[in-house]
Amino acid sequence: MTPAAMRRTAVVAALVVLSLTACGKKAAESPAMDNPFFSEFATPFGVPPFGLIKPEHYMPAFERGMAEQKKEVAAITANAEAPTFANTVEALERSGALLNRVAGVFNNMTSSHTNEALQAIDKELAPKLAQHGDDIAMNAALFARVKAVYDAKDTLALPAEESRLLEETYKDFVRGGAGLPEDKQARLRRINEELSVLSVKFGENVLKENNAYELLLDDEADLAGLPPAVRAGAAEAAAERGKPGKWVFTLHKPSLIPFLQYSGRRDLRERMFKAYTERGAHGGELDNRRLASRQAALRVERAGLLGYKTHADYVLEKNMAKTPAAVYEFLAKLWAPALARAKAEAADMQAMIRGEGGDFKLQPWDWWYYAEKVKKAKYDLDDTALRPYFPLESVRDGAFMVATKLYGITFVERGDIPKYHEDVRVFEVKDADGSHLAVLYVDYYPRASKQGGAWMNNFREQSIRDGKDIRPVVSNNGNFSKPTAGEPALISYEEALTLFHEFGHALHGILTRCKYESLSGTNVPRDFVELGSQIMENWA
C-alpha cells in the first residue's frame, strides 16, 4: 500500500499537513543560515542532504514555509485583476514550495527513521499545521476567486490537466468547509485540530507497542518446529538486546510470521498472535481504543457538517467508487467465493488437527501453522525450502529487470547520493535514452525507528515549472527478513510479491510526467493507485 493520500494540491498540501509531523527546537535556536531547507540542496539531483539536516531544522522550516504560503495566498487575493486559471488556480498550486519540500523529507523520516525528538514536536506542530490548512481552505476571498474560475469552466477550453486541476481545487475548497457559515467553520476547525493531534498520538502508540514487545525464550525446547534460519535470526535479535544465549521474537513481520508458521508451541503462537492483534489495547497511556473511538466520532461529525451522510460518503466522493453502495456491490461479488474458499481451507486445517490427535477448534493463531502443514501434505510445498530461491537482492534486481524490459529504463546504484540510514540503497533511474528519470531509495529492513508494513512515498514529487521537468525522488520501504551471520537476506515468496507490489507504486512515481505536482505520480484516487502495484505483481 502507498500513502499517496498525503500529497495533494497546494490547498490539499496545506490540508494534508494536518497529518504531517515535525520536530526540533524553537526557530530562534537555529540560525537561518545554518538551516539546509533555506537554500537549494547542493546534492546530486537535489536530493535531501540528510547528513546536514538536524531535528532542530524542521520546526523553523515548517514555520517559514507556512508564512511564505500565507504571503503567496494573500498576493492571490489582493490581485486586482479578474480571477483567471493562471492568476488564481495555478498560482495557488505553485504556492507552498518550501512547505512541501520540508514535508516531503519529514514525512519520510517520521515513517522510516523517527526518534523521540521528532515525535515530541509532532504533538506541538500538528495543531499549527491544522490551523494553517484551515486558514487556506476557509479563506473566503480565495474561495470566491476559485469559484469564479470554476463557474466559468465551460467557457475556458482548458487542456485536460488544467481542467482536472481546476476541478480538484474547487472540490478541495468545498470539502474543506469554504461554503459553511462561520459557526460551522469554527467547529470544523476544532475537529480538524483534534483529529491531527489524535492521528499523531495513535501512530506513536502503535510504534511504541511494536517496539516494546518481545517474546524471550531461554530453553531450546521452546524452539520446536522453527527452521534454523529463524532460530539464528532470533539469537541475533537477543544478542543485539544484550541477551546472548537466548532467543528473542518480536512483532516485526520477519520475526512474527515465521514464528506463527512453524512454532510447534501452540501456547506461544497464541501469545505472539494476540500481542500483534491487540496492540494499543492493553490499557495505560499507549491504549488506542479511546483514541479510535474519538476519531470515529469526530469523522462522523465532520461528514455531517459538510453535508455527507457518513464518513464513508465523504471519503469515497474523491475515489473511483464514489459511494458506499458501489463499494458494497463490488464486495458482494467477492464475498461468496472468498468465503467458500476460506471455509474449504479451514476444513483442510481442521482435518489436519484431528489427524494429529488434536481435540481443539482451529483458531486464528493456528491458521499460519496449519496452512504450512496442509501445503506440505497436499503439494509438497514448503516456504522454507523456497527461500533460497529468493535472495532479497536478486528479487530486487528481478524487479528492475522487468522494468527494463517493459519500459527501457535502467537502474544504476550510486554511492555519492546522501542517504538517511546505512540499510538504505540508492539508485539513479535512467530513461531509455540514458537521460535522468528519477532517484530511487530502497529501505527494506525493519528497525525500531521504522513503522511496520511496506509502502512507497516521495521525498520530492515530479512537476514541470517554468518549462523544466523536475524529476521525482522516490522511496520504497519494506520490513523484510534481514540477513543473518554469514547468510544473505532470504525472503519468502509473499515478501517477494510485496517487493514487486511496492516497486509497482515506485514505477508509478518514477514514470510520471505531469505539469502539476498535486496531480503527478500516485496523486490519484486511492482505489486507482493500486493499478501499478497489481501490474508488477503479475510479473513476479
Side-chain angles (χ1 to χ4, degrees):
M1 304 286 287
T2 174
M6 296 172 68
R7 303 178 296 278
R8 293 294 183 265
T9 63
V11 174
V12 179
L15 293 172
V16 166
V17 176
L18 309 181
S19 66
L20 304 180
T21 56
C23 70
K25 301 179 181 178
K26 298 298 181 183
E29 297 177 19
S30 178
M33 66 171 54
D34 296 331
N35 195 317
F37 289 110
F38 295 161
S39 59
E40 292 299 317
F41 295 157
T43 56
F45 311 112
V47 305
F50 296 107
L52 301 178
I53 298 173
K54 303 293 189 293
E56 58 266 26
H57 293 143
Y58 286 107
M59 180 66 86
F62 268 110
E63 289 176 341
R64 181 183 287 192
M66 287 187 283
E68 286 185 2
Q69 190 171 33
K70 286 179 181 178
K71 290 181 181 179
E72 291 162 340
V73 168
I76 295 171
T77 59
N79 192 336
E81 298 179 1
T84 66
F85 177 83
N87 71 21
T88 300
V89 178
E90 191 170 48
L92 181 58
E93 164 72 15
R94 299 305 192 191
S95 73
L98 174 58
L99 184 58
N100 290 339
R101 181 154 66 126
V102 180
V105 178
F106 193 76
N107 286 340
N108 281 277
M109 291 300 93
T110 53
S111 59
S112 301
H113 195 35
T114 191
N115 56 47
E116 290 184 0
L118 305 186
Q119 293 170 343
I121 300 303
D122 244 340
K123 302 184 185 73
E124 178 185 349
L125 191 58
K128 295 181 181 180
L129 295 171
Q131 180 182 343
H132 177 70
D134 286 338
D135 286 346
I136 294 175
M138 300 179 195
N139 184 317
L142 181 61
F143 179 53
R145 292 184 67 91
V146 170
K147 188 175 186 302
V149 180
Y150 180 79
D151 289 343
K153 65 181 185 298
D154 293 337
T155 67
L156 299 179
L158 293 173
E161 190 169 357
E162 282 78 355
S163 179
R164 181 163 179 80
L165 179 64
L166 174 58
E167 186 79 24
E168 293 303 307
T169 301
Y170 177 76
K171 284 182 182 178
D172 289 331
F173 271 96
V174 174
R175 290 165 59 83
L180 295 178
E182 288 186 5
D183 59 332
K184 290 188 176 181
Q185 284 187 345
R187 178 56 190 155
L188 182 58
R189 284 176 176 271
R190 292 193 295 273
I191 290 172
N192 288 338
E193 178 180 338
E194 187 175 353
L195 280 172
S196 71
V197 175
L198 290 172
S199 177
V200 169
K201 178 61 176 172
F202 190 100
E204 181 183 323
N205 287 353
V206 172
L207 182 62
K208 287 182 176 179
E209 285 264 273
N210 252 356
N211 291 332
Y213 181 84
E214 67 175 33
L215 176 65
L216 177 65
L217 304 179
D218 55 13
D219 187 342
E220 193 165 1
D222 293 334
L223 305 177
L226 296 174
V230 176
R231 297 185 183 202
E236 285 193 8
E240 290 172 359
R241 297 175 180 229
K243 300 167 184 176
K246 301 181 188 299
W247 297 269
V248 164
F249 294 90
T250 70
L251 299 183
H252 295 293
K253 290 294 182 67
S255 179
L256 172 72
I257 299 302
F259 191 89
L260 294 176
Q261 285 177 306
Y262 298 111
S263 173
R265 287 286 303 275
R266 187 168 188 255
D267 58 328
L268 297 182
R269 294 202 310 271
E270 181 179 359
R271 281 170 58 182
M272 286 287 284
F273 181 86
K274 288 185 174 179
Y276 182 76
T277 58
E278 295 175 3
R279 291 171 300 165
H282 298 116
E285 64 176 359
L286 300 183
D287 196 301
N288 271 341
R289 289 172 294 186
R290 180 184 58 81
L291 301 184
S293 177
R294 181 59 178 163
Q295 284 175 307
L298 290 171
R299 288 168 176 171
V300 168
E301 185 180 359
R302 179 178 62 186
L305 280 173
L306 294 170
Y308 296 90
K309 183 178 179 180
T310 67
H311 176 65
D313 288 278
Y314 169 74
V315 171
L316 290 169
E317 182 189 48
K318 290 274 286 185
N319 290 288
M320 294 171 68
K322 297 302 181 187
T323 66
V327 173
Y328 282 121
E329 181 182 358
F330 178 73
L331 291 178
K333 297 175 183 178
L334 301 178
W335 175 249
L339 181 61
R341 180 68 259 168
K343 286 183 175 180
E345 291 178 1
D348 285 342
M349 296 179 206
Q350 191 66 59
M352 177 72 72
I353 291 171
R354 288 194 298 270
E356 293 180 346
D359 60 353
F360 56 88
K361 184 178 180 181
L362 179 74
Q363 296 296 326
W365 48 88
D366 298 317
W367 193 278
W368 284 94
Y369 181 72
Y370 283 100
E372 285 302 312
K373 281 179 167 284
V374 170
K375 282 194 296 184
K376 180 67 175 175
K378 294 184 70 172
Y379 310 111
D380 195 21
L381 183 61
D382 183 351
D383 185 65
T384 301
L386 289 177
R387 283 180 181 262
Y389 293 92
F390 295 109
L392 187 147
E393 292 198 5
S394 295
V395 176
R396 182 204 65 212
D397 290 344
F400 288 176
M401 179 192 71
V402 169
T404 299
K405 288 189 173 184
L406 291 177
Y407 311 115
I409 62 178
T410 54
F411 300 80
V412 180
E413 186 160 15
R414 296 281 297 259
D416 60 331
I417 297 180
K419 56 185 183 179
Y420 55 88
H421 192 276
E422 61 183 7
D423 287 346
V424 175
R425 307 281 290 273
V426 192
F427 297 84
E428 179 189 359
V429 187
K430 295 185 177 183
D431 211 340
D433 62 2
S435 62
H436 175 75
L437 194 60
V439 173
L440 173 65
Y441 285 80
V442 295
D443 183 358
Y444 287 145
Y445 301 134
R447 53 180 171 269
S449 62
K450 188 180 186 182
Q451 71 180 28
W455 67 95
M456 167 268 181
N457 210 338
N458 280 11
F459 285 99
R460 182 178 70 219
E461 298 278 2
Q462 180 271 337
S463 65
I464 297 175
R465 279 179 176 261
D466 302 322
K468 180 181 179 182
D469 187 359
I470 300 171
R471 299 309 303 167
V473 179
V474 179
S475 72
N476 256 180
N477 279 259
N479 279 272
F480 302 138
S481 302
K482 293 187 69 172
T484 56
E487 296 291 337
L490 302 178
I491 64 177
S492 69
Y493 174 67
E494 290 296 328
E495 288 176 319
L497 280 178
T498 299
L499 188 150
F500 268 68
H501 176 111
E502 296 304 332
F503 183 62
H505 289 310
L507 286 174
H508 193 162
I510 288 168
L511 296 171
T512 186
R513 291 189 186 276
C514 291
K515 187 174 182 179
Y516 302 113
E517 184 175 329
S518 65
L519 301 180
S520 72
T522 52
N523 290 321
V524 295
R526 190 61 181 266
D527 45 1
F528 178 76
V529 80
E530 297 302 324
L531 175 65
S533 67
Q534 300 309 301
I535 289 173
M536 283 306 295
E537 279 196 37
N538 286 328
W539 290 99

PDB file of all heavy atoms in Angstrom, residues 69 101 112 289 346 395 420 461 518:
ATOM      1  N   GLN A  69       3.689  30.649   2.401  1.00  0.00           N
ATOM      2  CA  GLN A  69       2.462  30.322   1.685  1.00  0.00           C
ATOM      3  C   GLN A  69       1.349  31.303   2.013  1.00  0.00           C
ATOM      4  O   GLN A  69       0.541  31.659   1.143  1.00  0.00           O
ATOM      5  CB  GLN A  69       2.021  28.890   1.977  1.00  0.00           C
ATOM      6  CG  GLN A  69       0.888  28.437   1.060  1.00  0.00           C
ATOM      7  CD  GLN A  69       0.577  26.967   1.160  1.00  0.00           C
ATOM      8  OE1 GLN A  69       0.700  26.373   2.223  1.00  0.00           O
ATOM      9  NE2 GLN A  69       0.170  26.364   0.043  1.00  0.00           N
ATOM     10  N   ARG A 101       8.446  21.032   0.402  1.00  0.00           N
ATOM     11  CA  ARG A 101       9.780  20.437   0.401  1.00  0.00           C
ATOM     12  C   ARG A 101      10.128  19.893   1.788  1.00  0.00           C
ATOM     13  O   ARG A 101      10.653  18.791   1.927  1.00  0.00           O
ATOM     14  CB  ARG A 101      10.819  21.480  -0.027  1.00  0.00           C
ATOM     15  CG  ARG A 101      12.229  20.932  -0.083  1.00  0.00           C
ATOM     16  CD  ARG A 101      13.094  21.712  -1.054  1.00  0.00           C
ATOM     17  NE  ARG A 101      13.314  23.078  -0.627  1.00  0.00           N
ATOM     18  CZ  ARG A 101      14.534  23.625  -0.502  1.00  0.00           C
ATOM     19  NH1 ARG A 101      15.608  22.912  -0.772  1.00  0.00           N
ATOM     20  NH2 ARG A 101      14.660  24.877  -0.146  1.00  0.00           N
ATOM     21  N   SER A 112      10.086   6.320   8.359  1.00  0.00           N
ATOM     22  CA  SER A 112      11.199   5.419   8.072  1.00  0.00           C
ATOM     23  C   SER A 112      12.291   5.424   9.129  1.00  0.00           C
ATOM     24  O   SER A 112      12.981   4.417   9.316  1.00  0.00           O
ATOM     25  CB  SER A 112      11.838   5.783   6.719  1.00  0.00           C
ATOM     26  OG  SER A 112      10.899   5.702   5.688  1.00  0.00           O
ATOM     27  N   ARG A 289      -7.752   2.476  22.000  1.00  0.00           N
ATOM     28  CA  ARG A 289      -9.186   2.284  21.821  1.00  0.00           C
ATOM     29  C   ARG A 289      -9.969   3.574  22.031  1.00  0.00           C
ATOM     30  O   ARG A 289     -10.874   3.891  21.254  1.00  0.00           O
ATOM     31  CB  ARG A 289      -9.681   1.186  22.771  1.00  0.00           C
ATOM     32  CG  ARG A 289      -9.208  -0.203  22.366  1.00  0.00           C
ATOM     33  CD  ARG A 289      -9.533  -1.246  23.395  1.00  0.00           C
ATOM     34  NE  ARG A 289      -8.785  -1.027  24.641  1.00  0.00           N
ATOM     35  CZ  ARG A 289      -8.796  -1.871  25.673  1.00  0.00           C
ATOM     36  NH1 ARG A 289      -9.522  -2.982  25.595  1.00  0.00           N
ATOM     37  NH2 ARG A 289      -8.088  -1.629  26.759  1.00  0.00           N
ATOM     38  N   ALA A 346     -10.145 -23.845   5.847  1.00  0.00           N
ATOM     39  CA  ALA A 346     -10.296 -24.113   7.270  1.00  0.00           C
ATOM     40  C   ALA A 346     -10.628 -25.587   7.513  1.00  0.00           C
ATOM     41  O   ALA A 346     -10.144 -26.194   8.481  1.00  0.00           O
ATOM     42  CB  ALA A 346     -11.382 -23.215   7.861  1.00  0.00           C
ATOM     43  N   VAL A 395      15.786 -10.659  -5.937  1.00  0.00           N
ATOM     44  CA  VAL A 395      14.385 -10.302  -6.192  1.00  0.00           C
ATOM     45  C   VAL A 395      14.302  -8.846  -6.638  1.00  0.00           C
ATOM     46  O   VAL A 395      13.599  -8.510  -7.593  1.00  0.00           O
ATOM     47  CB  VAL A 395      13.522 -10.548  -4.934  1.00  0.00           C
ATOM     48  CG1 VAL A 395      12.091 -10.072  -5.178  1.00  0.00           C
ATOM     49  CG2 VAL A 395      13.528 -12.023  -4.559  1.00  0.00           C
ATOM     50  N   TYR A 420      19.812   8.310   4.494  1.00  0.00           N
ATOM     51  CA  TYR A 420      19.477   8.605   5.884  1.00  0.00           C
ATOM     52  C   TYR A 420      19.760   7.450   6.845  1.00  0.00           C
ATOM     53  O   TYR A 420      19.640   7.610   8.053  1.00  0.00           O
ATOM     54  CB  TYR A 420      18.001   9.013   6.000  1.00  0.00           C
ATOM     55  CG  TYR A 420      17.026   8.010   5.439  1.00  0.00           C
ATOM     56  CD1 TYR A 420      16.531   6.972   6.218  1.00  0.00           C
ATOM     57  CD2 TYR A 420      16.595   8.104   4.114  1.00  0.00           C
ATOM     58  CE1 TYR A 420      15.645   6.046   5.705  1.00  0.00           C
ATOM     59  CE2 TYR A 420      15.705   7.190   3.586  1.00  0.00           C
ATOM     60  CZ  TYR A 420      15.233   6.163   4.382  1.00  0.00           C
ATOM     61  OH  TYR A 420      14.350   5.246   3.869  1.00  0.00           O
ATOM     62  N   GLU A 461       8.040  15.307  -5.286  1.00  0.00           N
ATOM     63  CA  GLU A 461       7.114  14.968  -6.358  1.00  0.00           C
ATOM     64  C   GLU A 461       7.631  15.499  -7.699  1.00  0.00           C
ATOM     65  O   GLU A 461       8.380  16.477  -7.750  1.00  0.00           O
ATOM     66  CB  GLU A 461       5.737  15.597  -6.086  1.00  0.00           C
ATOM     67  CG  GLU A 461       5.068  15.118  -4.818  1.00  0.00           C
ATOM     68  CD  GLU A 461       4.359  13.792  -4.979  1.00  0.00           C
ATOM     69  OE1 GLU A 461       4.432  13.217  -6.089  1.00  0.00           O
ATOM     70  OE2 GLU A 461       3.738  13.331  -4.014  1.00  0.00           O
ATOM     71  N   SER A 518       0.500  18.297  -7.692  1.00  0.00           N
ATOM     72  CA  SER A 518      -0.628  17.673  -6.997  1.00  0.00           C
ATOM     73  C   SER A 518      -1.331  16.605  -7.815  1.00  0.00           C
ATOM     74  O   SER A 518      -2.122  15.832  -7.280  1.00  0.00           O
ATOM     75  CB  SER A 518      -1.636  18.737  -6.580  1.00  0.00           C
ATOM     76  OG  SER A 518      -2.209  19.334  -7.724  1.00  0.00           O
TER      77      SER A 518
END
